[in-house]
Amino acid sequence: MAVSPVLLGALLLAAGSIAAMLTEPTISTWPAAIYFTTSTLTTVGYGDIAPTTPESRLVSLAMALSGLGLFCDSVLAKGGAWMEAVPGSPLQQVLLAATLVVGAGTAAMASFEGWSVEDAGYFCFVTGTTIGYGDHASIRTDLGQLAASAYMLAAISVMSALVQELSQLSSRTMELVPTTPFLRTVFAPGMDVGATLMMGGTLGFMFLEPTTPTCVDSLYLTITTLSTVGYGDLSPTTPASRAFMVALSACGLGLFCGPVLSRCGRWSQALPTSCQPPIPRALVTFAGGTAIFMCLEGWSCLLYTSDAADEEDSVDLGGRRISTIKNRA
């Protein structure tokens, strides 16, 4: 007998919350446990609450490996099914749905946490797109943590649909500009999309964001944004750079995460036949990334390289922040 998405989501959230309460000493309340579990299962991973013990890290890895596919495919998709009842074209449906969801989330976070409307709206955008920099003020109230958890469940599928519609609209718009072939490469299928988006994002952040004065910093911020990893060691800090991030993400996420990242993963087809199934390929990628960062950054072997809980539990590559998982001599 098939399990309904609602029941499946409730079981995953309950199991993750109980495990977090039992294994993570920084989590002492049920709202905090639910908030941490939801941000892990939805891959938002703010990092304001992160696993600090080997046991809680293993629990988080288990949640990510066993729950992400089930949770993101069935539960979050179900969360956006109500958009079909909204009148109008698909673009009008997602625009209205996104306005309602982001508006409600902004009002809730501003009310419960005392944030400004600008900060609450920014939080809701990076949450809905799963970028989740984690650069917001810590959510301190139980109501705020429960509201953020509910917003993650309601907003991610809506924002994903909005990003896809805006990407398609951008592609159709550029078809009407035959005299600008260079601009068309932004929306053409293939690696030209990634190259142009990364170049535009790098230049934009270099001029607008004071914390990314170099090309490497700006490129790093651009890629972590477009791939929705959003570590948080670098993030937009000014109104201008935040507005640029919103525009870049709205127009570029659907293009970058679709054709570009899928092409970037084709290197795995050159692996031996025994490594072609998804699990061996994932293990090869995980082991390779672990080895590289152990060599380049001097980190310990137990690294959190997933997109599920990525910010405060990681190390700033520029040495700007001391990590809790760095090798201690």
Side-chain angles (χ1 to χ4, degrees), residues 284-296 299-303 305:
V284 169
T285 305
F286 184 86
T290 300
I292 289 173
F293 285 108
M294 285 179 66
C295 294
L296 297 180
W299 294 352
S300 64
C301 183
L302 182 58
L303 292 179
T305 58

Side-chain angles (χ1 to χ4, degrees), residues 34 55 100 154 202 220 266 283:
I34 294 171
E55 294 80 9
L100 292 174
T202 300
Y220 174 70
R266 290 183 181 177
L283 291 175

Side-chain angles (χ1 to χ4, degrees), residues 57-139:
R57 287 176 184 166
L58 291 175
V59 166
S60 299
L61 287 174
M63 280 197 293
L65 294 174
S66 63
L68 285 182
L70 296 172
F71 198 84
C72 292
D73 287 344
S74 58
V75 179
L76 294 184
K78 190 73 173 179
W82 62 272
M83 285 188 296
E84 298 176 0
V86 178
S89 65
L91 179 59
Q92 292 172 333
Q93 288 178 330
V94 297
L95 282 174
L96 179 57
T99 300
L100 292 174
V101 171
V102 173
T106 300
M109 298 310 296
S111 175
F112 296 145
E113 294 295 319
W115 296 349
S116 67
V117 173
E118 177 191 343
D119 288 341
Y122 170 74
F123 167 84
C124 288
F125 180 84
V126 297
T127 296
T129 55
T130 73
I131 295 172
Y133 291 120
D135 54 347
H136 58 273
S138 295
I139 301 178

Side-chain angles (χ1 to χ4, degrees), residues 8-18 33-34 37-39 41 71 153:
L8 176 62
L11 290 174
L12 289 171
L13 282 173
S17 299
I18 293 171
I34 294 171
T37 302
T38 306
S39 65
L41 288 173
F71 198 84
L153 298 176

Side-chain angles (χ1 to χ4, degrees), residues 227-242:
S227 61
T228 75
V229 174
Y231 292 116
D233 48 353
L234 291 176
S235 62
T237 59
T238 66
S241 62
R242 286 184 173 183

Side-chain angles (χ1 to χ4, degrees), residues 208-232:
L208 299 174
E209 177 50 48
T211 63
T212 58
T214 68
C215 287
V216 174
D217 285 340
S218 298
L219 177 62
Y220 174 70
L221 176 57
T222 299
I223 294 177
T224 57
T225 298
L226 289 174
S227 61
T228 75
V229 174
Y231 292 116

